[in-house]
Amino acid sequence: LMYLINNGPGLPEPTVQLLRSNKYFSKKPIVQLAVVPEYSILIALTDNIISVHDIDLAVTNFPLISQVERSKGTSLFALDVTRTHTLTGESAAAVRMVVSVRRKLQFYYWKNRKFLEL
């Protein structure tokens, strides 16, 4: 489900509008979700593996960008998104992720539309 939430000044309470829904996103239950709007990606933990989906093309069923292959057996993940502004006024975001696989932690960073290991 994808919602639009309007919480502007002068509104007595937020308004929520359903934009789209996807009944067939995953065959297995979704354990955890995270969104990084700067890169238009949705990170999902389902069936003990982490997958990255494109939210710009959400009209076409949240297409899969990549899967983190070494993340099989994942129980949870955490993201760190660091936003910076350059001297020219451009903004950039660095995305790092830590993944818990069995009794080990794996560290990744986002580059070229996939997560690479640190």
Side-chain angles (χ1 to χ4, degrees):
L1 301 171
M2 187 178 225
Y3 292 97
L4 174 65
I5 301 172
N6 291 322
N7 191 12
L11 293 174
E13 57 185 57
T15 59
V16 179
Q17 177 185 3
L18 177 65
L19 294 178
R20 49 183 87 94
S21 64
N22 186 349
K23 198 174 190 179
Y24 305 104
F25 181 76
S26 174
K27 293 179 184 177
K28 302 284 184 164
I30 298 169
V31 177
Q32 190 176 353
L33 288 173
V35 173
V36 182
E38 289 85 358
Y39 292 113
S40 299
I41 57 173
L42 170 72
I43 302 158
L45 172 58
T46 181
D47 197 22
N48 296 329
I49 194 161
I50 293 181
S51 56
V52 183
H53 301 267
D54 193 335
I55 59 175
D56 275 347
L57 300 174
V59 176
T60 60
N61 201 10
F62 295 97
L64 179 69
I65 296 173
S66 65
Q67 281 188 334
V68 182
E69 293 302 323
R70 294 202 53 223
S71 71
K72 290 181 182 168
T74 298
S75 54
L76 64 100
F77 69 90
L79 284 181
D80 175 42
V81 181
T82 307
R83 294 166 179 89
T84 58
H85 294 284
T86 62
L87 295 174
T88 60
E90 297 176 358
S91 61
V95 180
R96 292 176 291 205
M97 177 174 64
V98 62
V99 176
S100 170
V101 180
R102 295 173 190 89
R103 293 184 178 200
K104 296 180 181 177
L105 296 177
Q106 298 175 355
F107 297 90
Y108 297 93
Y109 65 97
W110 181 253
K111 186 174 183 182
N112 297 330
R113 305 283 288 168
K114 61 183 173 181
F115 277 105
L116 302 174
E117 219 170 333
L118 278 176

